[in-house]
Amino acid sequence: MNTIKYVFITLLGLFVATLCAVTDLPIIHLVFSFVMFAVIYLFYREDRPFPKYKLSGKDILVVLIGIAVIFILDNLLIYILPNPVEEQHTKVLLQNYGLYGILLACVVAPITEEYIFRYIPTDKPTIIVSIFLFGLFHTQVSQDIYTAFYPAIVTAMNAVAFHLFYRKTDNLYVSIFIHASMNLIALGL
């Protein structure tokens, strides 16, 4: 895989999706995710088509282990890292969106993000870049730089775990279910 091509296409997808999502309406955030997925899928659909659904009993066990590992990792990060000055905007936004927030955080985002940041990267340099990009895509607007990058730090660490579980099972649905479950837990808290 060409890492430069991956970065270019991912940033192009982000740019096009951002142009389509210029308001704070809940439906626009869904459009953003669909557009970003569509742009990137158009470039990779022949090399990396979306995999067919398969989840064995062993995969379900790995999902449960993955949820526990990431839950522990996130709690350690929360314990180690100082709390941000303000609440994460994304979390507040999604909680205020109700059903749209749940659909976005627990269905659309995990499918889109796992395809883009876990399934498409196949070599080590691209995987490392994808972890970095995944974190950067989760920064937030804030007057405090630490608060702006706090979600990026946590999500980049989660991306490492998502990659490990995906690579261990070679099943994208394992990382999708772990990601969706963790987002559901975060929304519930």
Side-chain angles (χ1 to χ4, degrees), residues 170-188:
D170 195 32
N171 187 343
L172 183 64
Y173 293 96
V174 167
S175 61
I176 288 172
F177 279 110
I178 295 170
H179 191 155
S181 299
M182 293 314 300
N183 284 359
L184 185 62
I185 290 169
L187 282 177

Side-chain angles (χ1 to χ4, degrees), residues 4-25:
I4 294 171
K5 175 185 172 189
Y6 173 77
V7 170
F8 176 77
I9 292 171
T10 303
L11 293 177
L12 175 68
L14 176 67
F15 177 74
V16 172
T18 302
L19 289 177
C20 294
V22 291
T23 69
D24 281 339
L25 295 173

Side-chain angles (χ1 to χ4, degrees), residues 95-153:
Q95 287 172 340
N96 292 335
Y97 279 7
L99 186 57
Y100 280 117
I102 293 169
L103 179 65
L104 181 62
C106 300
V107 178
V108 177
I111 292 171
T112 301
E113 292 174 350
E114 293 306 308
Y115 177 79
I116 294 168
F117 297 108
R118 250 59 76 201
Y119 187 67
I120 291 179
T122 56
D123 59 354
K124 273 190 180 171
T126 312
I127 290 169
I128 292 167
V129 167
S130 75
I131 290 168
F132 180 73
L133 285 174
F134 185 70
L136 279 181
F137 281 24
H138 288 85
T139 57
Q140 65 183 15
V141 177
S142 176
Q143 294 178 359
D144 172 32
I145 191 136
Y146 177 73
T147 302
F149 283 96
Y150 179 82
I153 296 165

Side-chain angles (χ1 to χ4, degrees), residues 12-44:
L12 175 68
L14 176 67
F15 177 74
V16 172
T18 302
L19 289 177
C20 294
V22 291
T23 69
D24 281 339
L25 295 173
I27 193 74
I28 296 301
H29 289 277
L30 290 172
V31 169
F32 171 86
S33 292
F34 285 126
V35 169
M36 185 160 179
F37 178 83
V39 167
I40 293 169
Y41 185 75
L42 287 174
F43 283 96
Y44 288 104

Side-chain angles (χ1 to χ4, degrees), residues 60-82:
I60 292 170
L61 179 62
V62 172
V63 167
L64 295 174
I65 292 169
I67 292 167
V69 166
I70 292 178
F71 187 76
I72 291 167
L73 174 67
D74 285 355
N75 282 304
L76 283 174
L77 288 172
I78 290 169
Y79 180 73
I80 294 169
L81 298 172

